[in-house]
Amino acid sequence: MQGLSENDIKQTTLRFLKAYYRYRQREGGTTVSSDMRGAGGIIADGFLSYPKPGGEIFHATFEATSQDTRDEVRFKIQKRRLQWDAIAVASLAAAVLFIAGNVEQLFTFKKITYAGCIGVVVMSFLLAFLFYITAFWKLRRYRYIYAVEQFKQYYADEQWIAIGEDVFANYYDDRHYLELRKQCIRNGFGLIVVREHGHPIMQITPSRTDLFKSRRRQLRLFSQAELARYAQEGNYPDWLKQFNATNFMRFQSQYRYQVIVLIISLLMIGSVFYLESQKEDIVIEEEPDYLDRMEAVRLYNNRLENRQDSSFVVDTPYVWPPPILREKDTRPYVDLEPQPVAGQDASQAAAVKRRRQPDFLLATPGEDPLAVYDCSRLQNITGAAFILQEGVYPSFSAAEDRTLALGQYGLETSALWLGCFQGKEAGYAVFFGPIYGKEEEARQALAAFETQLGDNVLNITIVIRTLSRNTSK
C-alpha cells in the first residue's frame, strides 16, 4: 500500500468541503485555494470562502496531515509550560508554608537561624516542584497538538483537520487519536478521515458558534500567487522572512502569569525575612528572677534619687540629707576674723566679733568640718518648733566638740544658739535630727532615736524642747 500524500489529502478535502457547503445560502460563487500563509507562522493547507447574504464573507480553513507529517496531529508534552506552572505553584506553596510557620513561631531566625529559614524555603520549593511535575504532567493542559494550537491563533468561521487513514494505527484506542478527537470537540473544530479508496469519513462537524468568544485575531491569509507577486515587486512581508514551517512547537503559550505569581511569592518571602531581621530578642524570665531584678532596679533608682550633688550646698535645715562640705581646707565665712577698722577701739572690735559668732551648726555623721550658719537661716520658723535636745553647752566650741563626738557614732547631730529663739537661757543646744514643725513628729522621731540607741551605752538623754522664734532679734 503506497499511502496517501499530503497533496492527495488536500485535494480530496477541498472537494469534500465544496460539497459540504454547497447548500449554504450565499450571494456569489465559492473560492477555494491551498497552501495559504499568514502572519505569525500561520499555514492553511486549504481555504474556502463565499459571500453570505448581506455581503459578509464566510471563511473555512483546514489542516491536511499525512503519514509523513503525522506529528502535526500527535500530542507532545509541553515541558516548558509544565515547568513554569510547577515553578509558580511551588513558589506560592513555599511562601504560604513559610509565612504560616513564621506566624506559628516555627520558622524564625531565633529558632532555626537565617540559614535555616532559607533552607526551609528552598526545600519546600523543591518538594512542591517535584510533586507538581510528577502528579500533573498527564493533564490535558500540557498536551500540545500543533494543528489545534494553530487554529487557536486566528479566526475562521469553521476549521477542519483532515487526516489520512494511515496516520494512526487504529481509531479505537490510539491515545493520540483519542486526544485529538477530544480537543477538536472541546474547541469546536471539525475532523475528517480521508481514505485512499472511498469517500472521506466525517468524524466531527465544526461548531457554528465561536467557542472562543471573539478572543482570536482576524488574520488575512495570502495565497502562493500573491506572495510570488510581492516577491517580484520587492515588497516581501517581514513576517514571511522569519517563517519556519518545520517548527511545530512555535505556538506554545507565553508564561507571563507564572512569572507574576513567582514575583509575588518572592516578595512575600522577602517581606517575612525583612520583618524577622527587624525583631528584637525577647527575654523570658521566671517570675522570681523578674521580681529580683525589678527590686534591684528600684534600689538603684532610689540611690540615684538620694544622691546629693557635690557641686553645691543646700543650706536649709529642713532638707535631708544635710549638705556635705568636701573641701577640707574650706573655712566657714563666719569664722573669718573681722579686720579692725581705722579709728575703732578694742571694745568696738570685740562687739563686732561677738556679733559674728556662729549661731547654728549643721553636722553630717562622720563628716568634718561642720556647716555653720547664722540665725537668718531660721527665718522660715514662724511658730513653735521642736527639737530632740541632747544637752545645752555654754560656748560654741563646746557645742562643736560635742556635735563632732556624737557624729562619730553615726548620729545625725546639729547645734543651734538658743539666742535665736525667745527665752532667757543662753548657750548652744545640741540636738538630733532636723527641727520639727509639729510636736507629734518630734515624738515619733524620739521613739525612733531611742530604738536606734538600743542599750544606750553612751548614756545619752534626749528630751523634746519647744522653741519659739525671736522675731525682735
Side-chain angles (χ1 to χ4, degrees):
M1 181 176 173
Q2 184 178 358
L4 291 166
S5 67
E6 185 171 315
N7 190 55
D8 294 335
I9 297 173
K10 292 178 185 178
Q11 298 304 319
T12 301
T13 304
L14 283 174
R15 290 194 298 268
F16 171 82
L17 292 181
K18 288 181 66 176
Y20 180 81
Y21 293 112
R22 180 174 52 186
Y23 299 107
R24 297 278 183 92
Q25 291 184 354
R26 68 192 69 202
E27 292 183 352
T30 300
T31 301
V32 294
S33 182
S34 60
D35 297 326
M36 305 289 284
R37 298 289 186 271
I42 301 301
I43 300 175
D45 291 334
F47 175 84
L48 180 146
S49 67
Y50 60 84
K52 296 189 295 184
E56 187 178 356
I57 304 300
F58 173 86
H59 299 91
T61 60
F62 68 85
E63 178 70 26
T65 302
S66 65
Q67 171 71 17
D68 295 335
T69 59
R70 61 182 180 274
D71 286 341
E72 294 177 345
V73 293
R74 294 167 65 90
F75 73 82
K76 295 180 176 61
I77 301 298
Q78 295 188 82
K79 294 182 180 179
R80 289 179 59 188
R81 187 176 193 180
L82 175 62
Q83 291 170 353
W84 271 106
D85 283 357
I87 289 173
V89 172
S91 62
L92 185 60
V96 171
L97 176 65
F98 182 62
I99 292 174
N102 186 265
V103 170
E104 296 297 326
Q105 298 297 312
L106 298 176
F107 306 141
T108 62
F109 289 178
K110 184 176 181 180
K111 282 197 172 182
I112 61 174
T113 72
Y114 178 84
C117 290
I118 293 179
V120 168
V121 173
V122 173
M123 288 301 299
S124 57
F125 173 84
L126 291 177
L127 290 175
F129 179 84
L130 295 175
F131 172 79
Y132 188 91
I133 289 181
T134 303
F136 300 108
W137 70 273
K138 292 183 179 180
L139 290 180
R140 185 174 298 155
R141 171 182 175 82
Y142 306 114
R143 294 188 173 186
Y144 173 92
I145 299 178
Y146 164 78
V148 174
E149 295 299 326
Q150 182 174 232
F151 282 161
K152 294 179 180 179
Q153 304 304 310
Y154 69 98
Y155 172 80
D157 294 280
E158 293 184 5
Q159 293 165 306
W160 299 79
I161 295 176
I163 59 175
E165 62 179 349
D166 56 348
V167 170
F168 298 105
N170 62 72
Y171 292 85
Y172 304 101
D173 58 1
D174 187 291
R175 62 193 184 100
H176 290 281
Y177 170 74
L178 295 176
E179 182 62 31
L180 175 63
R181 182 182 176 87
K182 291 177 182 178
Q183 292 201 22
C184 285
I185 294 173
R186 187 170 66 252
N187 294 288
F189 304 145
L191 179 61
I192 305 171
V193 177
V194 178
R195 297 186 296 175
E196 186 175 4
H197 304 289
H199 295 289
I201 301 174
M202 184 171 59
Q203 300 284 337
I204 305 169
T205 59
S207 172
R208 293 192 178 186
T209 303
D210 183 13
L211 302 182
F212 294 91
K213 302 185 182 301
S214 302
R215 291 194 299 268
R216 295 179 296 176
R217 56 179 175 161
Q218 298 282 349
L219 185 68
R220 182 186 175 188
L221 298 175
F222 298 87
S223 65
Q224 294 296 322
E226 289 177 305
L227 295 176
R229 186 174 68 252
Y230 288 144
Q232 290 177 357
E233 295 174 356
N235 192 21
Y236 215 56
D238 291 335
W239 56 264
L240 195 58
K241 297 177 183 179
Q242 303 174 354
F243 205 91
N244 183 7
T246 61
N247 181 16
F248 291 160
M249 302 298 292
R250 62 181 179 271
F251 299 121
Q252 292 189 86
S253 58
Q254 300 299 316
Y255 312 109
R256 58 179 177 272
Y257 296 112
Q258 292 88 333
V259 173
I260 292 174
V261 173
L262 174 62
I263 293 174
I264 293 174
S265 302
L266 291 176
L267 290 175
M268 293 167 62
I269 295 172
S271 299
V272 176
F273 271 87
Y274 173 76
L275 293 176
E276 276 294 307
S277 65
Q278 300 301 308
K279 286 184 179 178
E280 299 289 343
D281 290 337
I282 299 177
V283 179
I284 300 177
E285 289 183 324
E286 296 295 333
E287 184 175 1
D289 296 337
Y290 172 78
L291 295 177
D292 292 342
R293 187 169 63 84
M294 289 296 99
E295 180 64 17
V297 171
R298 188 186 67 80
L299 294 176
Y300 176 76
N301 291 336
N302 288 341
R303 287 197 298 271
L304 290 181
E305 292 175 0
N306 294 330
R307 182 178 298 172
Q308 178 65 51
D309 189 353
S310 61
S311 61
F312 61 91
V313 176
V314 179
D315 57 0
T316 172
Y318 287 95
V319 177
W320 195 262
I324 300 173
L325 298 180
R326 300 295 182 182
E327 299 295 335
K328 297 300 182 179
D329 56 348
T330 301
R331 295 176 58 198
Y333 68 93
V334 292
D335 283 347
L336 298 178
E337 290 292 337
Q339 298 297 324
V341 180
Q344 190 178 54
D345 58 19
S347 61
Q348 291 175 331
V352 171
K353 181 176 180 180
R354 246 187 339 268
R355 286 197 302 272
R356 293 190 179 272
Q357 185 71 13
D359 299 323
F360 180 71
L361 299 175
L362 188 60
T364 301
E367 294 292 335
D368 184 27
L370 300 174
V372 293
Y373 312 96
D374 58 20
C375 291
S376 63
R377 298 295 178 171
L378 304 175
Q379 288 179 353
N380 58 332
I381 301 176
T382 57
F386 304 89
I387 61 173
L388 303 182
Q389 178 177 290
E390 183 271 338
V392 178
Y393 297 88
S395 64
F396 169 78
S397 58
E400 180 181 24
D401 292 341
R402 184 58 175 168
T403 299
L404 291 175
L406 293 174
Q408 298 300 317
Y409 296 98
L411 299 174
E412 302 168 9
T413 313
S414 302
L416 58 82
W417 180 47
L418 294 176
C420 294
F421 296 91
Q422 293 180 357
K424 298 181 179 180
E425 188 174 0
Y428 290 83
V430 175
F431 62 95
F432 298 113
I435 299 176
Y436 301 98
K438 295 181 180 180
E439 185 176 2
E440 180 62 27
E441 294 177 353
R443 294 185 181 279
Q444 294 176 358
L446 175 60
F449 269 96
E450 289 176 344
T451 302
Q452 182 180 357
L453 292 176
D455 295 337
N456 195 10
V457 296
L458 299 177
N459 294 322
I460 296 175
T461 301
I462 305 177
V463 296
I464 297 177
R465 179 168 188 147
T466 304
L467 301 174
S468 179
R469 184 80 174 89
N470 187 359
T471 57
S472 63
K473 181 174 167 60

